[in-house]
Amino acid sequence: MIGKLLQKIFGTASERAIKKIKPILDEINQIYEGLSNLTDEQLAGKTDEFKKRIAERCSDINNEIISLNDDVQHAENIDERENLLNRIDDLKDDLYNAEREILDELLPEAFAVVKEVCRRLVGKEFTVTGHKLLWDMVPYDVQILGGINLHMGKISEMATGEGKTLVAAMPLYLNALIGKGAHLVTVNDYLAKRDSQWISPIYNFLGLSVGCI
């Protein structure tokens, strides 16, 4: 009885999670509304803009890692080499945290850009696994919420037909901006091939390459 009362007051865990990220969704949609004024070239240029901002945020750490790697090659003894390598490991942790921080900041803009690209692709025809497909997908709010959840490292449960592949397109684009690759894992070879061809127009528009393993 108490449990049901608390749930009524505070909501389920899913409801609380959605309430927490709802402001991010609102920010995404607000940014999205302003992107229609951009030319295709300006919209595609957002990728380089995002990458530049990531590089600027992480440049000091990256430069120090490069410098220490050079020092490792000229280390005079094992102890010095080990100390340098330990310092590099610490800096890699710092770099990871810095990358996560800037990606979290870029998320609303990056997701809005993907949504705007999807809108501009509507009505265009693409070939997917040998079949012609007319693009008709623009992410719904529930799909954007799912994408935010995925970026946060959480599970987004969606029923068949609710657009899981489009959900993944947004966090995939965001995380690919670091330049270390981003992967979508699916259950069989056919779906991997189909989905890579299906969603690739988004990434191609934004200057990113797509592969299928």
Side-chain angles (χ1 to χ4, degrees):
M1 186 71 177
I2 294 176
K4 289 183 179 179
L5 178 61
L6 290 173
Q7 182 174 311
K8 186 175 181 180
I9 296 172
F10 297 107
T12 64
S14 295
E15 289 169 343
R16 292 194 298 273
I18 291 173
K19 185 177 181 181
K20 186 177 180 180
I21 62 178
K22 178 66 164 52
I24 304 175
L25 170 66
D26 294 339
E27 185 179 359
I28 291 167
N29 284 328
Q30 184 177 9
I31 295 170
Y32 166 73
E33 292 298 326
L35 294 175
S36 60
N37 296 325
L38 299 181
T39 65
D40 285 356
E41 291 74 18
Q42 289 172 326
L43 185 62
K46 287 291 183 180
T47 296
D48 287 337
E49 177 189 321
F50 295 150
K51 287 182 175 181
K52 183 178 179 181
R53 286 160 64 181
I54 293 170
E56 288 174 350
R57 178 70 66 87
C58 301
S59 62
D60 289 345
I61 301 174
N62 274 318
N63 288 338
E64 189 172 354
I65 290 174
I66 293 171
S67 177
L68 288 174
N69 275 321
D70 185 60
D71 291 343
V72 168
Q73 303 302 318
H74 301 92
E76 295 182 357
N77 55 64
I78 293 177
D79 289 340
E80 182 184 358
R81 179 184 174 85
E82 185 175 349
N83 288 334
L84 289 168
L85 290 174
N86 287 335
R87 175 58 182 155
I88 290 172
D89 286 340
D90 290 340
L91 284 170
K92 286 181 178 179
D93 289 338
D94 292 342
L95 178 61
Y96 175 83
N97 291 329
E99 289 171 342
R100 292 302 100 192
E101 185 179 272
I102 184 63
L103 287 184
D104 289 346
E105 293 175 14
L106 288 174
L107 186 152
E109 294 176 73
F111 275 43
V113 163
V114 171
K115 183 175 180 179
E116 174 62 15
V117 170
C118 289
R119 186 190 68 80
R120 296 190 188 197
L121 292 176
V122 169
K124 296 183 184 296
E125 192 175 70
F126 302 96
T127 300
V128 178
T129 59
H131 303 283
K132 295 294 184 181
L133 178 70
L134 198 66
W135 187 278
D136 61 354
M137 302 181 296
V138 179
Y140 294 112
D141 284 356
V142 65
Q143 293 171 318
I144 296 173
L145 287 169
I148 297 169
N149 216 38
L150 287 179
H151 173 71
M152 291 179 169
K154 300 176 182 178
I155 294 172
S156 294
E157 183 179 1
M158 305 185 77
T160 299
E162 286 188 332
K164 291 185 285 293
T165 304
L166 190 59
V167 168
M170 291 170 281
L172 274 173
Y173 170 68
L174 176 64
N175 285 271
L177 293 170
I178 295 175
K180 298 178 181 177
H183 296 77
L184 174 62
V185 180
T186 190
V187 295
N188 62 44
D189 289 347
Y190 170 75
L191 290 178
K193 181 179 180 180
R194 184 201 69 181
D195 290 354
S196 66
Q197 294 179 8
W198 180 24
I199 302 299
S200 64
I202 297 173
Y203 307 122
N204 292 336
F205 185 107
L206 291 167
L208 298 180
S209 60
V210 179
C212 178
I213 302 174

